[in-house]
Amino acid sequence: MSSTRTANGRASGRNGTWRNWGGNVSARPARETTPASVDELAAVVRGAAEDGLRVKAVGAEHSFTSIAATDGVLIRPHLLTGIRNLDRDAMTVTVEAGTPLKRLNMALAREGLSLTNMGDIMEQTVAGATSTGTHGTGRDSASIAAQIRGLELVTADGSVLTCSERENPEVFAAARIGLGALGVVTAITFAVEPLFLLTAREEPMPFERVLAEFDELWAENEHFEFYWFPHTGNTNTKRNNRSAGPERPVGRFQGWLDDEFLSNGVFHAANWVGRAVPATIPTIARFSSRALSARTYTDTPYKVFTSPRRVRFVEMEYAVPRAAVVEALRELRAMVERSPLRISFPVEVRTAPADDIPLSTASGRDSAYIAVHMFRGTPYRAYFTAAERIFTAHEGRPHWGKVHTKDAEYFSRAYPRFGEFTALRDRLDPDRLFLNDYLRRVLGP
């Protein structure tokens, strides 16, 4: 079998098969297209409707769910890139939907500007990241979608709709995290602020101490997160706070040693060993949890918030009420200890304040995120099923782009404004042009 190619020449998989970054989702679209303008994209949408084909747009393929999978028309927005407009008076930037976050972050830094908060990787497109609710960690600052001030999207009839708090406000409210169900996002306007510095303090800390002091650590730091290594009592913590400077980045050698050699190279090799011989995983976990030493550095935000992720994995993440996170983590640790599971990846814990986006995992409540991972190619269902049982017992809401088993019935209880979103979907896409199996499950038919 030979690989097919998209309109921009990129191989999409063997014999026309599209696959995601984690390797756990595949699809065979009837056709793929890479429009170079909003008008071309609108024509693709109208043409698909005429041909009776569903439509989905895909970003950088970093979702672990089948949210972007389709057997119809797969739209790749990679030619819709770049900054449309930078408004220093309004402190906003309007960017094409296919622009990678990395490119946006670097462009903003050159202009002396920055997003307020961001996730821990920046490979995704801006539309893909926001549509699935990508977030970082923050006491006061929320997800990337919460920083949106305007949207442009092509709706099911091929028309171009712009929305903001003043223009089509009901669409704006929902479409900031729209799951691709309301239309194809073509441009996003973000709030920005003058470029600032962050001081990162990274250090190991015992698991029990982190849980005992969690509320204090959260309250005292603008951005706090930690990684717990299953089969150990160890964590690595990270505290990011704004700084007056001076800029003191990680040295080139130290950065390579910590972020490339240890966090990617050695960690990848260790996971290969663990997958082949699971009995070695507890020993590997103890080594991994002690491999990185404490460090403090000061740099521009995207260099502090984000880090390279070259070891491929599959992930589940749930948002629980922030007040429930310590209890949920204790239950997760007890489950791992009494089970035969061998977990080689750390558990990541972050927070976010409540926001007003209907399908945001932090909608209406202060939240904490617990993310569990398994090395790509390693069976993950037993671990994820047991973890999901704990998370849902604490009224958890799964990340839309990460593995979960929940459906529309569950979400109608978990999200007070779920009906508001589905009613808007009925209005904007009554014939379900943007439907796929994932949306059928999580939103209903």
Side-chain angles (χ1 to χ4, degrees):
M1 295 186 296
S2 62
S3 71
T4 60
R5 292 190 175 269
T6 64
N8 64 348
R10 175 182 178 183
S12 61
R14 296 181 66 82
N15 201 25
T17 301
W18 169 85
R19 300 186 189 279
N20 68 336
W21 181 85
N24 65 310
V25 177
S26 62
R28 291 176 60 83
R31 60 178 182 251
E32 298 185 24
T33 181
T34 309
S37 69
V38 175
D39 287 343
E40 284 186 18
L41 194 153
V44 168
V45 170
R46 288 191 294 269
E50 292 170 0
D51 294 341
L53 296 173
R54 308 287 189 187
V55 176
K56 296 306 295 180
V58 63
E61 303 163 340
H62 271 264
S63 288
F64 301 99
T65 61
S66 56
I67 190 168
T70 185
D71 59 1
V73 178
L74 187 71
I75 296 176
R76 295 184 178 273
H78 306 303
L79 297 182
L80 298 174
T81 63
I83 292 176
R84 279 193 191 178
N85 182 54
L86 183 60
D87 187 335
R88 291 186 182 273
D89 291 331
M91 290 301 284
T92 60
V93 61
T94 300
V95 62
E96 303 279 355
T99 306
L101 283 166
K102 182 176 183 178
R103 191 178 303 173
L104 173 62
N105 288 333
M106 295 175 70
L108 288 175
R110 287 193 297 269
E111 295 290 337
L113 299 169
S114 177
L115 297 174
T116 297
N117 199 356
M118 59 195 75
D120 58 8
I121 65 170
M122 53 179 179
E123 308 306 318
Q124 312 104 307
T125 62
V126 294
T130 55
S131 294
T132 55
T134 294
H135 62 89
T137 189
R139 181 190 60 206
D140 308 306
S141 54
S143 69
I144 302 175
Q147 299 168 68
I148 294 177
R149 296 295 177 266
L151 281 168
E152 177 187 86
L153 67 160
V154 173
T155 56
D157 62 1
S159 61
V160 180
L161 183 70
T162 58
C163 56
S164 65
E165 289 183 343
R166 295 183 178 181
E167 186 178 10
N168 297 305
E170 74 288 352
V171 179
F172 173 73
R176 287 172 289 172
I177 298 179
L179 315 187
L182 305 178
V184 179
V185 175
T186 51
I188 300 174
T189 299
F190 292 103
V192 295
E193 61 176 296
L195 189 65
F196 55 92
L197 292 174
L198 284 173
T199 292
R201 177 183 170 190
E202 302 174 4
E203 64 178 340
M205 189 178 293
F207 180 75
E208 287 299 333
R209 180 184 166 191
V210 173
L211 297 194
E213 299 178 7
F214 182 81
D215 287 341
E216 180 182 344
L217 290 164
W218 169 82
E220 291 181 349
N221 295 280
E222 293 174 81
H223 310 274
F224 174 71
E225 64 185 303
F226 71 93
Y227 296 83
W228 164 57
F229 294 79
H231 312 297
T232 80
N234 305 324
T235 76
N236 281 337
T237 64
K238 184 174 183 181
R239 285 168 265 195
N240 299 331
N241 291 286
R242 297 199 182 207
S243 170
E247 187 174 328
R248 289 196 178 94
V250 176
R252 181 174 297 180
F253 174 76
Q254 191 65 45
W256 171 83
L257 179 66
D258 290 345
D259 299 328
E260 290 293 346
F261 181 70
L262 293 175
S263 296
N264 285 293
V266 172
F267 188 57
H268 186 263
N271 273 276
W272 272 101
V273 173
R275 189 170 71 179
V277 188
T280 64
I281 286 177
T283 300
I284 291 171
R286 287 190 292 272
F287 168 78
S288 297
S289 68
R290 296 187 176 98
L292 299 175
S293 58
R295 64 180 185 177
T296 300
Y297 55 96
T298 301
D299 214 329
T300 52
Y302 78 88
K303 296 178 182 178
V304 175
F305 283 131
T306 68
S307 55
R309 293 284 188 272
R310 309 198 199 288
V311 182
R312 300 208 177 197
F313 53 84
V314 178
E315 180 178 1
M316 168 184 281
E317 181 183 69
Y318 266 75
V320 300
R322 187 172 57 79
V325 67
V326 170
E327 182 179 354
L329 285 167
R330 291 193 189 281
E331 293 174 10
L332 184 66
R333 183 182 187 184
M335 180 273 291
V336 170
E337 288 179 343
R338 68 174 178 261
S339 77
L341 295 169
R342 293 294 178 262
I343 314 301
S344 61
F345 256 81
V347 173
E348 183 179 20
V349 181
R350 295 175 288 175
T351 67
D355 63 42
D356 65 349
I357 305 173
L359 293 191
S360 167
T361 46
S363 183
R365 73 183 191 192
D366 291 343
S367 300
Y369 296 93
I370 306 174
V372 297
H373 314 70
M374 288 291 274
F375 184 50
R376 179 175 174 174
T378 303
Y380 61 85
R381 295 193 183 280
Y383 178 34
F384 285 11
T385 298
E388 187 173 48
R389 192 174 298 120
I390 293 169
F391 302 150
T392 54
H394 291 281
E395 302 179 341
R397 298 168 176 169
H399 189 299
W400 297 106
K402 299 177 184 180
V403 175
H404 68 90
T405 66
K406 300 297 110 179
D407 58 17
E409 181 181 357
Y410 180 87
F411 293 124
S412 67
R413 300 190 305 269
Y415 287 92
R417 299 172 65 186
F418 186 77
E420 176 184 328
F421 185 94
T422 55
L424 179 64
R425 180 193 184 209
D426 289 341
R427 177 161 70 85
L428 292 180
D429 187 17
D431 297 324
R432 299 296 188 260
L433 181 69
F434 303 115
L435 185 70
N436 64 1
D437 288 343
Y438 180 78
L439 293 184
R440 183 179 290 108
R441 172 163 67 91
V442 302
L443 296 179

